[in-house]
Amino acid sequence: MYRQKYIFLLPGLLVLVAIILFPLLFTIRVSFSSWDVYNPGLNWIGGENYARLWEDARYWEALTRLSVLTVGTVLLQYTLGFALALLVWRDIAARRFFRVLFLVPMMTTPVVMSVIWRTIFHESLGPLNPILDAIGIGAQPWLSQAGHAFAAVMIVEVWQWTPFMFLLLLAGLLSLPNEPFLAARIDGAGPIRTFLSVTFPMMGAISVGAILIRLIEASKLMETVYVLTSGGPGTSTETTSYYIYIRGMRDFQIGYSASLSLTYLIVMSVALTLIAKALIRLMVKDRT
Amino acid sequence: MTTKTTLRGALLATSALMISAGLAAAQDYSKYGIKEDVPGACSFASIDAKDYSGRTLNIITHAIPVIGEPSALHAQQFQELTGATVNVVHVPFGDLFQRIMIPFQTGQQAYDVLFFASLWLGDFNPYLAEVPQAYQEVSGMQSVTPTYKGVATWNGKMLNYTMDGDRHYLKYRSDVFSNPEMQALFKEKTGRDLTVPATWEEYNEVAAVFNNMDWDGDGAPNFGTAEVTKRDDLMFSAFISRVAAYAKHPDVKGGFFFDLETMEPLVNTPGWVKGLEMFVAAQASMPPGGTSFGLGDEIFSFGGGQALMSYSWDDAFIQAMQEDSPIRNKVAAAPLPGATEVWNRTTGQWDKFDTPNTAPYVTWGWSSAVASASENQDMAFDYLCFFGNEANTLADLQIGRFGVNPYREAHFDPAFYETELGWDVNTATTYTDTLKAIDGGKNQVFDLRVPGVGEFMSSLAAGVARAQSGEATAQEALDGVAAEWKAIVDRIGVDRVREAYANVVALEDK
């Protein structure tokens, strides 16, 4: 009789297989083929793509660069997002207006915003350099020097995704119980002490969740790089996703790009699992 | 009945209908934006006489406006004239290759008509229908220059339906070059007369002298040169323009990118390295951000009056010649600069030339074709024939954003640009003289049209970008490219690449 329950599970399982497992299994199969512009189809070449990948310095450099970019931008987003959330958590004038305003960047299309930012950073025609000139900082080679281009990508990412952090952390702050804050006040704790001893620890779980979600998203960084710098100058802003895009879509090395994608998936899964464990240990006191 | 016979029959029927259409010549097609219909098998009248009601034509093309806009415009006209249903799919450039290739490889009949970059012919040729002889004999196709017929041909078969002609050439501010004050300034700084650069050394020198100074008197600084330098944004074409004069020796046959015999890459030979060094050196004379200029930036930098010189396709020149342009009729065209020392890979030495060696670079160019698996080849070729008819082409040439550039003998007549577009004599003459010189020039260089051209060019652009950013010297960067090219050739198969590359070498060594 209880076997009938499997029949009811079947539609859901079929959908799961169709939209998650099949593409993944197909990608695994493709990664063992030499499918490219001149060898279409699923032949079998064993682990050749993976051996080639191992020696592909540009791929590993892109992965290292991505790690720096991801950790750097997410930390900045967390810090700024937390600060903004704290700002509008309490009663301030025009609180509702600011809450909506802070969300605007997140609601814009990444590609379109990257185009806008590219125009802003444009060293001849963009508005940023004249402003910097006017205030005495001087024009900067935003997109033509490696360090500046890297910073430009980070600025756009932080600008676009800080609101996401803000949203999650504000929701967390609004859900905190009032009693610990009352107790802290009775004990004479000032704002900094209250933040360090009450607010921040109680926000541990939601902070870990927000950071992990953003790390996962940021590790797929592609549109901003594509539009803003095309991975340049040189390869200084080339991320893993952009490199896989070049190999897969531009060079049409379907088999090789599948192996790059799967390796990337494994590396990121392992890395993010380790980061999640470390963050939980550091930031969440009640781990039951 | 074979497809060929059907097509021939269709075209003969068209010719017959043309006569009746001619009788009804009172039909006015000017509402379609043309000056007047030009009689012929592909004319408005001939196409109007056809009935494709109940049939559907699927077209894939580039995003609007470049090529995407004219292909959609003529699709709409074709639909109105023939009763066919015409679906046009616009795809951004970065996705166009794979959106065409995947249906080909998986055996889907997704599109009848395809618009794509002509250098992809090395990849797409197995999937394309040969242009039927009858269409090769229409008047519009007969006047296509031999250069662009060659670009459309693969292994002796015409697979691309020619509808655009592209090449790289030099553009410069004629008002500055003819200004006595500027001439005196240049003489004072260099000790020689200011002339249109005949070599890349002269180009860099002129660019350096006129860099970061207000030579047009508008209060804002101007710069020496605007070039396409952004990786993955057609920079490889700009780089090859820089290299060709140093590395394409007029007396050495058998390959510019590879030695056709051995299939050894030549990209790290001294001629190529010299070209890259000159490309990198010119960065000092570019506008702020010029080292990451994409094609759009280059167009607006030169076309907007910021830079003294530039070289690439027609776009920047046409931009400068727009009616509302502040530098309209202040620009002129010339062939790409040359080199007085050319690397001879046979002797392994630099050969000196009294008259600078030039190597006209016929690069890129949009093209069109019909899928061999299409069940609507008759209608598809009629559409392309209509797209490229004389009336439509003359109208399209006048709209810069369409991306349709001269490719027929008639397009090299300066009178057309003077009367129809209002260009002054000097601008029109230098423009058409330059195009003619490239079209009929010796020692031409063509794109590397072999399977996997995207991979080869992507590798080249990445290497050049490393040298531009200072990550590597020119020699180191190109050594890296050569190693990658060897690996690509090994993966594809030496014979396969050689067979394809022989088509390119045949065009260059003709």
Side-chain angles (χ1 to χ4, degrees):
Chain A
M1 185 175 125
Y2 288 111
R3 282 183 190 167
Q4 288 169 350
K5 68 182 180 188
Y6 294 112
I7 295 171
F8 291 103
L9 284 174
L10 198 59
L13 284 172
L14 284 176
V15 171
L16 189 71
V17 167
I19 64 172
I20 297 179
L21 285 181
F22 175 73
L24 186 62
L25 293 173
F26 186 71
T27 307
I28 293 170
R29 175 63 188 91
V30 171
S31 76
F32 290 101
S33 76
S34 65
W35 189 345
D36 59 21
V37 72
Y38 28 84
N39 290 314
L42 293 173
N43 60 348
W44 179 262
I45 59 164
E48 271 183 40
N49 284 330
Y50 290 93
R52 182 179 160 202
L53 174 160
W54 190 249
E55 294 173 356
D56 190 342
R58 200 166 142 192
Y59 176 69
W60 298 109
E61 283 167 16
L63 195 60
T64 309
R65 194 175 297 119
L66 176 75
S67 305
V68 175
L69 205 54
T70 302
V71 172
T73 53
V74 171
L75 282 178
L76 282 170
Q77 288 163 21
Y78 178 70
T79 309
L80 289 172
F82 211 150
L84 291 174
L86 286 170
L87 193 70
V88 297
W89 177 31
R90 300 297 183 192
D91 285 335
I92 59 163
R95 185 176 62 176
R96 284 174 189 276
F97 168 75
F98 282 117
R99 283 183 184 175
V100 174
L101 182 71
F102 292 156
L103 292 177
V104 168
M106 190 182 73
M107 294 188 286
T108 56
T109 312
V111 169
V112 174
M113 283 324 298
S114 298
V115 172
I116 301 287
W117 274 102
R118 189 180 64 187
T119 311
I120 291 171
F121 285 127
H122 199 290
E123 292 159 44
S124 302
L125 311 170
L128 183 57
N129 272 349
I131 293 171
L132 293 177
D133 251 342
I135 60 176
I137 294 175
Q140 301 295 316
W142 288 110
L143 303 176
S144 51
Q145 291 287 332
H148 284 78
F150 197 81
V153 172
M154 286 186 78
I155 289 169
V156 177
E157 274 295 290
V158 169
W159 178 85
Q160 176 111 48
W161 294 112
T162 295
F164 180 83
M165 283 289 191
F166 162 76
L167 190 67
L168 288 189
L169 295 171
L170 180 62
L173 287 171
L174 291 173
S175 67
L176 293 181
N178 215 19
E179 292 77 8
F181 294 96
L182 283 173
R185 200 177 301 161
I186 290 166
D187 289 346
I192 294 174
R193 181 67 185 268
T194 304
F195 175 76
L196 292 174
S197 302
V198 182
T199 316
F200 189 73
M202 285 203 297
M203 287 291 287
I206 194 143
S207 292
V208 170
I211 289 171
L212 282 177
I213 291 171
R214 276 306 306 146
L215 280 175
I216 292 168
E217 283 300 310
S219 65
K220 293 183 281 190
L221 178 61
M222 151 80 198
E223 302 97 328
T224 309
V225 171
Y226 175 77
V227 175
L228 206 62
T229 62
S230 291
T235 51
S236 60
T237 56
E238 191 170 84
T239 60
T240 321
S241 301
Y242 185 64
Y243 180 66
I244 294 171
Y245 163 78
I246 289 175
R247 288 298 185 220
M249 299 293 102
R250 289 274 175 91
D251 300 355
F252 210 76
Q253 296 182 55
I254 306 294
Y256 184 54
S257 63
S259 69
L260 293 174
S261 302
L262 285 170
T263 306
Y264 172 66
L265 176 69
I266 293 164
V267 169
M268 292 315 294
S269 301
V270 171
L272 288 170
T273 305
L274 294 175
I275 290 171
K277 280 183 181 293
L279 285 175
I280 289 168
R281 183 166 295 178
L282 278 172
M283 298 176 74
V284 185
K285 292 206 166 158
D286 181 11
R287 279 176 271 150
T288 51
Chain B
M1 191 185 280
T2 63
T3 310
K4 265 188 182 173
T5 326
T6 312
L7 290 167
R8 188 170 294 131
L11 209 67
L12 284 171
T14 302
S15 304
L17 285 166
M18 223 171 63
I19 298 167
S20 57
L23 292 173
Q27 180 77 30
D28 180 15
Y29 294 103
S30 59
K31 67 173 179 176
Y32 291 111
I34 57 168
K35 195 172 179 185
E36 60 181 355
D37 195 16
V38 179
C42 309
S43 67
F44 276 76
S46 300
I47 296 299
D48 197 5
K50 300 207 170 192
D51 182 10
Y52 288 129
S53 305
R55 295 178 66 185
T56 302
L57 188 69
N58 292 312
I59 298 170
I60 184 167
T61 185
H62 185 234
I64 287 173
V66 176
I67 298 303
E69 194 170 343
S71 46
L73 171 69
H74 300 317
Q76 177 66 30
Q77 295 166 343
F78 189 80
Q79 183 167 282
E80 286 176 25
L81 293 169
T82 65
T85 301
V86 186
N87 301 319
V88 181
V89 174
H90 294 275
V91 180
F93 184 74
D95 284 342
L96 189 57
F97 181 88
Q98 52 113 357
R99 286 285 296 273
I100 294 175
M101 195 55 161
I102 288 175
F104 278 161
Q105 291 196 339
T106 53
Q108 300 167 40
Q109 180 26 50
Y111 307 106
D112 302 295
V113 176
L114 321 142
F115 287 90
F116 55 88
S118 62
L119 75 165
W120 295 342
L121 187 58
D123 295 309
F124 291 163
N125 67 84
Y127 309 101
L128 304 180
E130 184 177 3
V131 178
Q133 194 59 37
Y135 288 90
Q136 292 187 37
E137 286 167 6
V138 300
S139 58
M141 191 61 85
Q142 285 291 304
S143 65
V144 171
T145 69
T147 293
Y148 294 104
K149 279 184 182 165
V151 169
T153 303
W154 189 261
N155 278 339
K157 290 181 178 175
M158 187 176 191
L159 298 181
N160 281 357
Y161 201 102
T162 311
M163 35 63 69
D164 177 36
D166 274 352
R167 74 294 283 165
H168 269 195
Y169 58 90
L170 170 66
K171 293 145 241 179
Y172 62 94
R173 287 289 296 271
S174 52
D175 58 331
V176 177
F177 275 78
S178 60
N179 182 333
E181 278 181 40
M182 297 300 151
Q183 290 170 346
L185 174 78
F186 186 78
K187 180 96 176 175
E188 182 192 327
K189 289 197 171 182
T190 67
R192 70 176 185 89
D193 291 332
L194 177 61
T195 53
V196 178
T199 65
W200 285 109
E201 284 79 2
E202 289 180 11
Y203 183 96
N204 280 11
E205 184 181 46
V206 173
V209 168
F210 291 104
N211 190 53
N212 205 16
M213 63 177 282
D214 181 17
W215 37 253
D216 63 1
D218 67 354
N222 297 101
F223 301 90
T225 175
E227 308 181 28
V228 181
T229 49
K230 189 177 181 185
R231 207 192 84 188
D232 301 332
D233 198 349
L234 302 176
M235 175 260 267
F236 71 85
S237 278
F239 171 59
I240 292 168
S241 277
R242 280 271 185 179
V243 163
Y246 295 107
K248 181 75 167 64
H249 196 296
D251 301 327
V252 178
K253 307 295 180 190
F256 170 69
F257 296 98
F258 292 95
D259 180 331
L260 187 62
E261 271 185 38
T262 62
M263 287 311 288
E264 279 292 309
L266 301 171
V267 284
N268 58 342
T269 52
W272 284 76
V273 175
K274 175 72 177 172
L276 180 50
E277 286 168 351
M278 296 299 290
F279 195 29
V280 172
Q283 291 185 131
S285 306
M286 293 176 185
T291 53
S292 60
F293 269 11
L295 180 61
D297 299 306
E298 183 257 354
I299 291 168
F300 286 106
S301 180
F302 178 79
Q306 186 187 38
L308 179 71
M309 298 181 294
S310 180
Y311 61 92
S312 70
W313 295 274
D314 288 80
D315 314 74
F317 195 83
I318 302 297
Q319 177 70 27
M321 291 302 294
Q322 295 294 307
E323 284 191 7
D324 57 351
S325 166
I327 58 169
R328 183 171 162 84
N329 287 324
K330 293 177 179 174
V331 295
L336 286 175
T340 51
E341 288 193 324
V342 185
W343 179 251
N344 186 329
R345 66 179 163 83
T346 313
T347 60
Q349 289 181 329
W350 288 96
D351 288 346
K352 291 193 188 308
F353 285 68
D354 292 333
T355 305
N357 173 53
T358 56
Y361 181 27
V362 181
T363 177
W364 201 255
W366 286 95
S367 198
S368 60
V370 172
S372 58
S374 166
E375 292 172 355
N376 297 300
Q377 290 191 22
D378 55 340
M379 188 165 48
F381 278 115
D382 267 347
Y383 165 74
L384 289 178
C385 183
F386 172 70
F387 181 112
N389 74 29
E390 286 91 333
N392 274 335
T393 306
L394 286 181
D396 292 348
L397 279 174
Q398 298 178 42
I399 303 171
R401 67 177 186 278
F402 275 16
V404 176
N405 302 127
Y407 61 94
R408 288 181 179 143
E409 305 287 358
H411 300 166
F412 300 150
D413 176 9
F416 167 74
Y417 302 93
E418 289 173 49
T419 55
E420 300 297 330
L421 301 179
W423 294 12
D424 74 6
V425 179
N426 179 54
T427 306
T429 308
T430 59
Y431 178 67
T432 52
D433 283 354
T434 299
L435 301 196
K436 269 189 278 191
I438 296 167
D439 200 71
K442 291 189 165 62
N443 206 29
Q444 288 173 319
V445 169
F446 291 83
D447 284 317
L448 179 65
R449 302 189 308 159
V450 297
V453 59
E455 200 179 340
F456 284 110
M457 291 303 115
S458 167
S459 161
L460 181 64
V464 172
R466 288 184 66 217
Q468 283 177 315
S469 68
E471 287 177 24
T473 65
Q475 185 69 60
E476 287 166 355
L478 293 178
D479 283 345
V481 175
E484 284 188 22
W485 280 26
K486 272 185 192 175
I488 300 169
V489 170
D490 287 343
R491 224 172 37 251
I492 303 171
V494 174
D495 292 337
R496 203 172 197 166
V497 182
R498 181 189 286 114
E499 187 187 345
Y501 187 49
N503 279 286
V504 182
V505 175
L507 285 175
E508 291 174 349
D509 291 352
K510 66 183 182 292

